[in-house]
Structures are given as structure tokens and as C-alpha cells.
Amino acid sequence: MNKSFLIAVLTFCFYAGITAQTATNKLDSILPVRGLSISAPAPEDVDGFIDFIQKELVPAHFNLLILRVDWNFKYESHPELRAGNPLTKQDVKKITAACKKAGIRIAPQVNLLGHQSWAKHTGSLLTVYPEFDETPHVKTENYPGWPNPDGLYCKSYCPLHPDVHKVVFPLVDELTEAFETDLFHAGMDEVFYIGDAHCPRCSGRDKAELFAGEVTVIRNHLAEKGKKLMIWGDRLLDGKTTGLGEWEASMNNTHRAIDLIPKDVFICDWHYDRPEPTPVYFAMKGFDVAVCPWKKPDVALKELDDMVRFRKNASPGTAQHFQGIIATVWSGNKAFMQNYYQQKQKEEESDAFTLKKLIEALKTL
Ligand SMILES: [Zn+2]
């Protein structure tokens, strides 16, 4: 090869690299966290998911993936909790390597405290360890749909059971090690069953203190290993005063926990129907916060605008806490991939279309 041509090519590559780096640095100052929360793929869908990450998320400068794993990993510390078709270490290694190369951090998620059942299905933890059930007198197999007299939405484990953390913490450690990450998402949203009147340990206790206690125990476990806890924010918002209701906020007085938990817990503040100004509340309390839209593109774009504006206009002390935006997908990983690639552009209200709109917007930031 001609020497001067080679030098010209190398010079171009060098400056193109610097330009890309500068663009990422600029974006990081405008909005440090650009994320997607989605269920982990099944083992046979891992390659397709990695393609999606590379083709869609990387060009839009995404840098965080919250992967809902729950029981879908071949846990070695507690093999009895594995679901039917779990990800292997090799599967996880593939995802981790692809994300690392793209500068995307991973926060694996296992739902702790709440979401231990769904309709008539009880999850692995309470199936194998029924003694951890906060409300053993409520039977999921009788779930009649929502609403119901038992107030059953999802089961919770009892945060004061003396053995529950001996089981769940090894899973947390195994998962963060497999994904080679210092982030862990514990879910902790929509906890309706807490401090139940029939629970011999929790009855009569302050629900805010119970919730805060559990957040703190999980946070401390992670912090000992230099890792960071992420949770959904809804239990820390007052559903009555704000009018936000019992789903995206708390109607059972757990909201006072906001003043009882460590400030280094990262809050994922989900609001799907309106761009609520609640990130301001979290930021002013000293928490790093990301806003989380779902399937309404207009709401997602307003939330994105809000976060950029809040960050730009607030005092440096508060501005640093407006971390970014995390799109959420609540269908299965495979169903979402199919939607994403098959969907016609005019089908407007869906998680796939919303993510496309967000990707367009992030590319122009
Ligand atoms: Zn209890």
C-alpha cells in the first residue's frame, strides 16, 4: 500500500474516533443515562437480541440495559429456583461481551419483595419456599382477576423472615458476577402486600419502615461488594396526595420510606400516561433518577424533553441527579423483537413504536 495513502487512512480513522468520542461525551453531559428495560431473551433468542442491540441501540447511543432475568438463569447456588428454560453462563457471556464492546452497562433484575406471583401463577421463590409468603392464607390458584376481595395482585415475600435473604442474596451475587456488572435492579414496584395483619413478624409494623428496611438491607448487601441498587420508584410516591393512585404510587403509606432509605439507590421513575414531574421530587431528595416511559410515544418524548430541561436549568447540585430516560418493554423479549421489526409505522401506541421514536430523538440530541 502507498505509504502516504496509509497515513491518510490512519489519520482519518483517528479523527473519526475522536469525533465519535466527543459526540458521546457531549451526549453524556446532556443526558448521562439512555436505557432500555426488557425481559432477558430465552437461550435460543440470544443471538437475535444481540443483533437488535447492535443494529438499534448502539447507533442511538444507548448505554444501559435493565434485563429482567428473575428465575431464568441456571443458578448454581439455588438450582431449585431455576425456571424451565434458563440462560446459561455462556449465553450471559455472549450478551455481556456484546454490551461491553458497545459501552452498554447491564443491570440484571430479579423482582425482590413484591411480584412473587402473577395471576394464578406463583413464582419459583414462593413455590419452593412457601414459608416466605407474606400472605399464605391467600391462594393464587383462586385468583379471580383484579379487583378482588383479597386485594391480590402479586404475592410478596415477608421481608422479616429470618431465612429469606440467605436464599435471595446468593442469586443476586451470582447474577451480577455472571453479567460482570456493579448494577442490580431489584424491582420492588407495586408492592401491595406488606405488613399484612396476619403475618406474625410484620403485623402492626409501620409499612414505610418495612419497605425502607428491605431496600436498605438489599442496598447494603450490594454496597459491601461495591455494587449499586436500582429500584422502581412508585412505592416512594404518595398516591393519595398526588392523585397518582395505587399503581404508579403508594396508597398503603410506604411513601414515607423516601426519607428512610440510603440516597445512593438509583430510582427508575415510571409514568406511562402523563409526563409527571416526579423526577424533580426524587432529585431534590438527593436521588439519581431516570424517567421511564412505556408505550405512548408522545409521553415518552415529553419525558425526554423534561429530563433534558430539568438537567439544563437546575442548580448543579440538583441537575446531577436527573440522569436520563429508560424505555420499558413489558411484553416478552421475543414478542417485542417480532413487533419491532414487523410493525407498521402508523401503529402508534405500542412499546415498539415508542422505542423507535425515542431512538430517533436520541440521535438528534
Ligand atoms: Zn411479614
Side-chain angles (χ1 to χ4, degrees):
M1 190 186 285
N2 178 304
K3 197 174 165 189
S4 59
F5 178 71
L6 181 64
I7 291 170
V9 168
L10 289 175
T11 308
F12 172 78
C13 292
F14 177 73
Y15 282 109
I18 288 193
T19 309
Q21 188 65 37
T22 310
T24 307
N25 289 346
K26 183 171 162 251
L27 195 53
D28 282 344
S29 72
I30 297 171
L31 202 70
V33 171
R34 288 94 54 191
L36 173 67
S37 166
I38 188 167
S39 62
E44 61 272 22
D45 299 324
V46 164
D47 291 341
F49 183 59
I50 290 174
D51 281 348
F52 165 80
I53 291 171
Q54 289 166 341
K55 279 187 200 144
E56 314 296 336
L57 301 187
V58 173
H61 313 289
F62 275 67
N63 61 7
L64 175 69
L65 201 54
I66 296 171
L67 270 187
R68 296 196 304 278
V69 178
D70 287 309
W71 316 109
N72 299 310
F73 180 64
K74 217 168 173 185
Y75 292 109
E76 282 166 19
S77 57
H78 287 282
E80 73 278 15
L81 294 173
R82 291 175 191 169
N85 184 24
L87 289 168
T88 63
K89 268 189 186 171
Q90 276 312 107
D91 296 325
V92 167
K93 209 178 262 287
K94 270 193 198 174
I95 299 172
T96 304
C99 285
K100 203 166 262 187
K101 196 173 162 199
I104 296 174
R105 301 172 79 192
I106 301 178
Q109 180 184 324
V110 178
N111 275 313
L112 298 183
L113 193 57
H115 277 279
Q116 301 303 326
S117 71
W118 183 257
K120 293 189 178 191
H121 173 75
T122 303
S124 291
L125 184 69
L126 297 188
T127 301
V128 179
Y129 298 97
E131 64 272 29
F132 296 161
D133 193 341
E134 176 71 7
T135 55
H137 54 285
V138 178
K139 305 293 178 199
T140 44
E141 53 267 34
N142 299 333
Y143 179 74
W146 180 266
N148 57 76
D150 288 322
L152 172 62
Y153 172 54
C154 296
K155 288 256 184 187
S156 304
Y157 66 65
C158 172
L160 299 187
H161 192 287
D163 296 328
V164 71
H165 299 114
K166 292 177 199 161
V167 174
V168 297
F169 284 168
L171 307 178
V172 172
D173 296 343
E174 232 188 297
L175 217 48
T176 46
E177 278 159 29
F179 280 97
E180 299 172 35
T181 183
D182 56 1
L183 297 174
F184 176 77
H185 198 301
M188 306 192 81
D189 56 323
E190 300 173 334
V191 181
F192 290 2
Y193 282 163
I194 185 167
D196 189 81
H198 299 282
C199 177
R201 296 164 293 272
C202 300
S203 63
R205 291 189 189 271
D206 184 311
K207 293 181 182 185
E209 288 181 10
L210 283 170
F211 187 80
E214 183 62 7
V215 171
T216 305
V217 164
I218 300 167
R219 177 266 174 205
N220 288 350
H221 175 78
L222 288 161
E224 276 174 16
K225 298 163 198 285
K227 295 173 187 175
K228 191 175 175 76
L229 174 64
M230 306 177 83
I231 60 170
W232 303 113
D234 52 89
R235 293 307 92 189
L236 304 175
L237 298 171
D238 177 349
K240 184 78 174 175
T241 307
T242 58
L244 286 170
E246 66 186 330
W247 302 95
E248 61 191 292
S250 169
M251 293 287 273
N252 56 2
N253 296 313
T254 57
H255 58 277
R256 289 182 296 97
I258 196 167
D259 291 318
L260 304 173
I261 64 173
K263 298 291 186 189
D264 57 6
V265 176
F266 189 105
I267 307 296
C268 299
D269 185 21
W270 62 272
H271 298 285
Y272 303 152
D273 293 322
R274 294 165 310 278
E276 292 290 340
T278 45
V280 176
Y281 177 63
F282 287 112
M284 292 184 73
K285 289 279 184 183
F287 295 97
D288 282 352
V289 59
V291 70
C292 306
W294 181 28
K295 62 176 184 178
K296 292 190 175 175
D298 56 328
V299 174
L301 295 178
K302 283 178 190 158
E303 288 177 342
L304 174 62
D305 282 351
D306 278 349
M307 289 303 273
V308 171
R309 186 167 47 87
F310 293 155
R311 193 170 164 84
K312 193 173 165 192
N313 294 342
S315 73
T318 307
Q320 63 176 326
H321 295 303
F322 296 110
Q323 284 282 302
I325 191 162
I326 300 169
T328 64
V329 170
W330 295 101
S331 50
N333 188 292
K334 188 176 187 173
F336 175 78
M337 292 299 132
Q338 285 169 345
N339 268 346
Y340 191 91
Y341 288 112
Q342 289 168 9
Q343 194 194 38
K344 295 186 177 71
Q345 292 294 322
K346 61 185 176 187
E347 292 171 39
E348 291 196 353
E349 198 164 292
S350 76
D351 45 15
F353 188 73
T354 302
L355 183 63
K356 282 179 186 169
K357 287 288 164 193
L358 259 184
I359 282 175
E360 281 173 22
L362 285 170
K363 284 180 181 173
T364 62
L365 268 189

